[in-house]
Amino acid sequence: MSWSDEWRRIRAIVWKDLTTERRSKSGLNAVAFMGILVLLLFGFALGPDTSALRAAAAGAMWLAILFSGVLAFNRSYQLELDGGALESLLLYPGSRKAIYLGKLIANLVFVLIVEAIVIPAALVLYQVALPPGWPAMVGVTVLGTVGFVTLGTFYSAMSSRSRAREVLLPLLLFPMLIPVLLAAVESSSALLAGDPMSEAGAWVRLLSAFDIIFLVASVMAFEYVIEV
Amino acid sequence: MWLGVGAFALLAAMQAWAISISVPDRDMGHLQKIMYVHVPAAWSMMIAYFIVAIASLRYLWKGKESDDLLAAAAAEAGALMTGLLLVLGMIWAKPTWGIWWTWDARLTSSAVLFFIYVGYLVLRAFVDDPDRRAQWSATVGLLGALNVPIVYMSVRWWRTLHQPQSNPGTLDPNYTLGLRVNAIALVIILIWFIRHRYETAKMERVADQLHEQLVLSGRGGINA
């Protein structure tokens, strides 16, 4: 199998998943709505104190993305299972890595679109002014999302095909995500404050290391998860 | 059986010895004795998670059921040791630091490990097909083990309250022997737990297979 063949397969899966999303739109609407709802709930829980809201903005934003993203991951396999399409997908020639990478990219695009709605909402609701280093913020957000979606796509391949899938995915995923959440929140809140201590760099390095390690590990382990 | 009883007896005897003979710590008094189980629990936890990682890797490589059962047994014992570690740490922290829990690096990373392996055990409980359960939990065990050093490193940037690990080198010579013997006792208990759970799991598998055969041959099962 050549690289261009695999790449064609990955693209086909991404295109298929995103087309399904685009035609129904109900998934995206529900997930984005869920994200904004979580932001509102945090806002109510914290109270109307502006400085407290600003201090908590990065954490609340990432938790909103996490909670809403988890809804998306189970859906991505559930759609295949409902139509009995996963078996046919597995029967096609080519490596299983292509299925994983295709699902991963489709989920990544989906979550990034959700973030494009949720993050501006967070900035408005928590009254955070856009810092001068906002292009770096975008980079951190993408890095954090890659780590989050890598593990989410991997674990939902299992949890969506087991009993009690709504419980299982968060139980497996959330503890594993603590380094990525920590690094993303710390670097975002440093950048939102203008990075006065220039500590964002260390967190970004951790985030990149996490992304690379788990991307490689889950690509290699995916065959064992999907074949049974 | 007698190995476990012996290890528990050794642990209990060493506690009695430590409390009666060794001098109270200048700052902590007898509270310091918690260290005799707390620190070995941390070591045993690491040994257990190491076994989970090796057995999971071996399962993915060779596909032998015994490796899967060993990984499960080690994960159970490891989660138990982590629970013990956290509870003892909290009991020690309340009078010493004045709080039950703090978001310190060492504490948080231990709690994360606990939840990763509890998730592993929950996954095993929710999947019925043995092959699927074995393959899935092996990958989860491996990815979880990858997370151990990352969590450990990620928390280095935090301000930290927990003192550096206690080991025979950092201790007053008064306490070294107690710590060493207690560590040996706890590691024996760990090995005994893992072996016990492993044997039980094997017996359960044999019972399942016998039951399956009976049902397939028309004898036994619900129609018996």
Side-chain angles (χ1 to χ4, degrees), chain B residues 73-150:
Chain B
E76 247 178 62
L80 183 80
M81 287 295 169
T82 318
L84 185 69
L85 172 84
L86 291 173
V87 169
L88 288 178
M90 284 166 88
I91 294 172
W92 179 86
K94 180 62 182 163
T96 317
W97 294 340
I99 33 167
W100 291 106
W101 184 261
T102 172
W103 296 102
D104 157 84
R106 180 63 49 69
L107 276 66
T108 314
S109 59
S110 313
V112 171
L113 285 185
F114 182 66
F115 286 112
I116 285 178
Y117 287 92
V118 168
Y120 173 93
L121 295 172
V122 171
L123 173 76
R124 293 191 69 91
F126 276 130
V127 182
D128 298 322
D129 176 24
D131 289 334
R132 184 179 268 201
R133 179 172 59 216
Q135 280 209 328
W136 287 4
S137 50
T139 58
V140 170
L142 262 185
L143 258 68
L146 276 183
N147 214 36
V148 173
I150 293 182

Side-chain angles (χ1 to χ4, degrees), chain B residues 39 42-43 46 106 152 162-171:
Chain B
V39 174
W43 294 340
M46 283 299 172
R106 180 63 49 69
Y152 216 77
H162 191 292
Q163 62 265 58
Q165 293 110 310
S166 310
N167 63 48
T170 62
L171 277 179

Side-chain angles (χ1 to χ4, degrees), chain A residues 40-207:
Chain A
L40 279 175
L41 287 176
F42 271 111
F44 284 123
L46 290 168
D49 178 9
T50 315
S51 61
L53 282 179
R54 264 187 208 136
M61 187 181 81
W62 274 103
L63 282 179
I65 293 169
L66 240 63
F67 287 147
S68 51
V70 165
L71 292 180
F73 298 145
N74 265 337
R75 248 178 69 83
S76 119
Y77 291 97
Q78 196 56 43
L79 289 174
E80 309 275 357
L81 290 170
D82 287 347
L86 194 63
E87 279 80 13
S88 354
L89 205 57
L90 291 174
L91 283 176
Y92 286 130
S95 81
R96 270 70 197 274
K97 293 182 175 68
I99 301 178
Y100 176 68
L101 288 172
K103 289 259 166 220
L104 172 68
I105 294 170
N107 278 335
L108 186 65
V109 172
F110 185 83
V111 173
L112 284 175
I113 295 172
V114 171
E115 283 174 355
I117 302 166
V118 170
I119 294 177
L123 295 180
V124 172
L125 286 171
Y126 292 82
Q127 298 166 43
V128 183
L130 208 57
W134 67 267
M137 268 285 294
V138 174
V140 165
T141 310
V142 172
L143 276 181
T145 312
V146 169
F148 167 50
V149 174
T150 299
L151 286 179
T153 310
F154 183 81
Y155 282 106
S156 56
M158 287 182 260
S159 61
S160 61
R161 290 190 290 148
S162 75
R163 291 187 284 133
R165 73 179 90 91
E166 292 84 3
V167 188
L168 196 53
L169 182 61
L171 273 182
L172 289 175
L173 185 58
F174 286 170
M176 292 292 290
L177 281 178
I178 286 171
V180 90
L181 178 73
L182 193 65
V185 169
E186 293 287 332
S187 51
S188 323
S189 63
L191 288 171
L192 279 179
D195 200 10
M197 316 283 280
S198 59
E199 58 190 340
W203 290 109
V204 171
R205 277 199 297 279
L206 171 69
L207 208 48

Side-chain angles (χ1 to χ4, degrees), chain B residues 23 30 42 44 60 101 127 141 159 163 170 177 207 215 218:
Chain B
V23 284
H30 281 301
S44 310
L60 289 183
W101 184 261
V127 182
R159 64 203 184 296
Q163 62 265 58
T170 62
L177 180 66
V215 173

